[in-house]
Amino acid sequence: MIVGLGVGSVCFVLLLASVIGALAKPGNESFSAKWADVLRDHHASFIVMPLEDWYFTRAQPAKGGRPKGLNHIPGVALPTVPPSAAPTTVAPPPKPVAPPHLAAPPDVELVVQPPLADEGKWLPAGPMIDGTPGMYVAQFRADSVYTSQITTAAWIDPMLLRVRLNPGDGEPGGSWSVPPAITGDALRQIVAAFNGGFRFKEAQGGFHLEGRDAVALRDGAASIAITNDGHVNVGKWGSDVGMADNTEAVLQNLTLLVDGGQIDPSVSHNDTRAWGATLKGSIAVARSGIGVTADGALVYVAGPALTARSLAESLQRAGAVRAMTLDINPQWVTFNLFDHPDPANPMVVTGAKLYPQMQRPADRYLSTESRDFLTVSLR
């Protein structure tokens, strides 16, 4: 009886301290997200993990069904409809000289029939660079099970747009010249921003920026590496990518989902290894990942109902030859497109979500952010 009361008292004190810590924790995330992080930081993952598994298992989306259509995404161009009228004799204005850029991506292979209108088609998104799209967005169903759920991919041309890694206030924390938010002159050029990977306690990998490792890099880890001139690569650390004189930033997260264009055979719909201890791979939940295509484009994929396997398949179908996981669950999966509605005031920025089920606001990265993230800007 006395032992039971002692254990109960310890649990009560732990929960009370974690609530107080979550209320005091800086950052723009919800209380529940902060509370989960505080518990994990105080060796109480044994409380968080069963609760998350229980919640997301019971919140599984319905199988089957068909959406009415693709999501409307502000800033994504609608398909061009050929004119039905006879051509006019007015000469079109001269086209701007296109800067060096990658070829537009081919349509995403579909696995659900019949398709939705424009499903799998890459549509230009964000600002044009001298008449050339620097980013495309495609929407498609990820598998033949959750057919009412839409997965979305963003294709980014690093020759036209600049990708950068930003530190979070808590992950990795520390002192950096780059603030944990998009502020100041960075607002003028911002096009998009998206989530990084797991917390570093679960990521089994590191973080490198400004010439130093905030978290030690690990050989064999899946890594996104960025050079000083903006070249971006995704691969296995120590073989596909590695430290060089021009390395600007490295973010690691677990192991590759896709390598050499092939999905890791161990990543199944019932996988637990690929996602570590954070949610089972069989749970269909918001997941995100990033990869690189054969010609060097960057592909980000996210959806509200993905398993580890269907995320890997979606990255592969979107063109990734090497790809890795990023963050997971609706609190953390975020991709925001940014617009500058007033040309006279480029510091005024509005945001839009890549898909509507993303829980965090469209201006998430415009204020202090607790976790690392990546930005996409005009060069």
Side-chain angles (χ1 to χ4, degrees):
M1 180 69 176
I2 295 175
V3 173
L5 287 174
V7 172
S9 298
V10 170
C11 290
F12 175 78
V13 171
L14 174 62
L15 290 173
L16 180 61
S18 66
V19 169
I20 295 172
L23 290 172
K25 185 178 176 66
N28 55 25
E29 62 267 31
S30 68
F31 168 79
S32 61
K34 292 179 180 180
W35 189 31
D37 280 354
V38 170
L39 286 170
R40 287 189 174 98
D41 288 339
H42 289 82
H43 310 289
S45 293
F46 66 92
I47 297 175
V48 180
M49 288 169 53
L51 287 174
E52 285 187 336
D53 283 349
W54 177 86
Y55 175 79
F56 286 116
T57 299
R58 281 153 184 78
Q60 289 295 275
K63 296 180 179 180
R66 178 180 172 88
K68 293 181 180 179
L70 301 179
N71 297 316
H72 168 66
I73 306 173
V76 176
L78 296 175
T80 302
V81 178
S84 57
T88 64
T89 57
V90 178
K95 292 184 178 180
V97 177
H101 64 281
L102 299 177
D107 291 348
V108 178
E109 180 185 351
L110 303 182
V111 295
V112 180
Q113 296 293 334
L116 302 170
D118 301 312
E119 183 174 3
K121 296 184 181 301
W122 292 100
L123 304 177
M128 304 287 279
I129 297 94
D130 292 330
T132 302
M135 183 164 55
Y136 291 85
V137 166
Q139 301 181 65
F140 50 92
R141 267 79 61 83
D143 56 41
S144 58
V145 178
Y146 300 105
T147 53
S148 65
Q149 304 294 318
I150 296 173
T151 294
T152 309
W155 180 99
I156 300 164
D157 186 346
M159 297 180 71
L160 298 176
L161 296 171
R162 185 66 157 88
V163 177
R164 290 183 172 88
L165 177 63
N166 293 59
D169 187 58
E171 293 279 326
S175 178
W176 307 91
S177 65
V178 180
I182 304 168
T183 60
D185 286 342
L187 289 169
R188 299 177 183 273
Q189 304 294 94
I190 193 66
V191 172
F194 57 92
N195 60 273
F198 287 3
R199 282 161 39 100
F200 290 104
K201 290 182 178 181
E202 290 90 30
Q204 302 171 29
F207 181 102
H208 174 89
L209 188 66
E210 297 181 352
R212 59 189 171 96
D213 292 352
V215 182
L217 301 176
R218 179 178 67 85
D219 280 347
S223 309
I224 177 170
I226 306 171
T227 64
N228 293 331
D229 62 359
H231 177 74
V232 187
N233 201 357
V234 175
K236 183 185 297 183
W237 190 254
S239 54
D240 303 314
V241 291
M243 191 61 66
D245 291 340
N246 64 344
T247 299
E248 175 183 283
V250 180
L251 177 66
Q252 298 183 324
N253 199 41
L254 303 181
T255 56
L256 290 176
L257 285 178
V258 180
D259 192 7
Q262 302 300 312
I263 297 172
D264 183 336
S266 67
V267 182
S268 68
H269 287 291
N270 297 313
D271 174 71
T272 56
R273 183 193 66 81
W275 288 107
T278 305
L279 290 183
K280 299 180 178 68
S282 59
I283 295 178
V285 69
R287 300 178 188 266
S288 61
I290 195 165
V292 65
T293 66
D295 61 355
L298 200 62
V299 177
Y300 172 97
V301 170
L306 293 170
T307 65
R309 178 74 187 191
S310 61
L311 172 62
E313 291 172 346
S314 296
L315 285 159
Q316 182 190 51
R317 287 162 49 212
V321 293
R322 291 185 302 278
M324 59 188 278
T325 67
L326 289 178
D327 219 340
I328 185 174
N329 102 34
Q331 278 283 347
W332 299 112
V333 175
T334 301
F335 188 111
N336 292 335
L337 298 158
F338 295 111
D339 185 32
H340 300 78
D342 183 2
N345 191 352
M347 303 293 280
V348 175
V349 176
T350 59
K353 300 177 184 181
L354 189 64
Y355 62 79
Q357 296 98 322
M358 288 180 169
Q359 289 187 2
R360 303 295 288 280
D363 61 355
R364 172 183 175 182
Y365 299 113
L366 302 182
S367 60
T368 300
E369 170 58 35
S370 65
R371 297 194 182 184
D372 54 272
F373 63 99
L374 293 102
T375 58
V376 183
S377 304
L378 295 173
R379 279 186 172 272

